[in-house]
Amino acid sequence: MTASTSQSLSSTTSNPEHQFQQYRNALTALFWNLDFNHFCQTTGLNPGYRNSLEQFQQFQQCLRAMNQVNDDTWDRLIQIGLDAVSSNG
């Protein structure tokens, strides 16, 4: 992600739940348009290493799993997490 992309995502809203949804949507769009070689090029991983393929597969699995949880549940989980962080800090 470029600095301008990150800045545009973070400046769009100060609502953490909405911001998370934007990041998840961006990653999901990337998921559909990213092949293994582009993943390696983007992340700086060597496509010849077995670990690179494992990381690519883990990235795919992570996004599939994230998309199994609906937006309302994510919103509640994020709010609970933020509340926990603020009460511990």
Side-chain angles (χ1 to χ4, degrees):
M1 180 181 312
T2 65
S4 63
T5 303
S6 178
Q7 185 178 28
S8 68
L9 284 173
S10 63
S11 66
T12 302
T13 181
S14 60
N15 179 327
E17 295 90 349
H18 188 250
Q19 194 173 30
F20 173 79
Q21 299 304 332
Q22 288 182 308
Y23 281 117
R24 191 178 74 170
N25 291 341
L27 288 171
T28 299
L30 180 64
F31 170 82
W32 288 110
N33 296 300
L34 189 70
D35 63 20
F36 173 66
N37 289 321
H38 189 211
F39 174 81
C40 289
Q41 181 182 13
T42 302
T43 59
L45 296 171
N46 182 334
Y49 291 142
R50 177 184 169 143
N51 185 38
S52 299
L53 179 59
E54 290 172 1
Q55 286 193 31
F56 177 65
Q57 291 169 337
Q58 290 168 350
F59 170 74
Q60 291 178 315
Q61 291 170 352
C62 175
L63 289 177
R64 283 187 192 111
M66 285 176 66
N67 285 316
Q68 295 299 311
V69 178
N70 69 44
D71 291 348
D72 290 335
T73 301
W74 277 119
D75 291 348
R76 287 189 294 260
L77 291 170
I78 291 167
Q79 191 56 56
I80 290 168
L82 290 171
D83 291 347
V85 168
S86 66
S87 69
N88 290 333

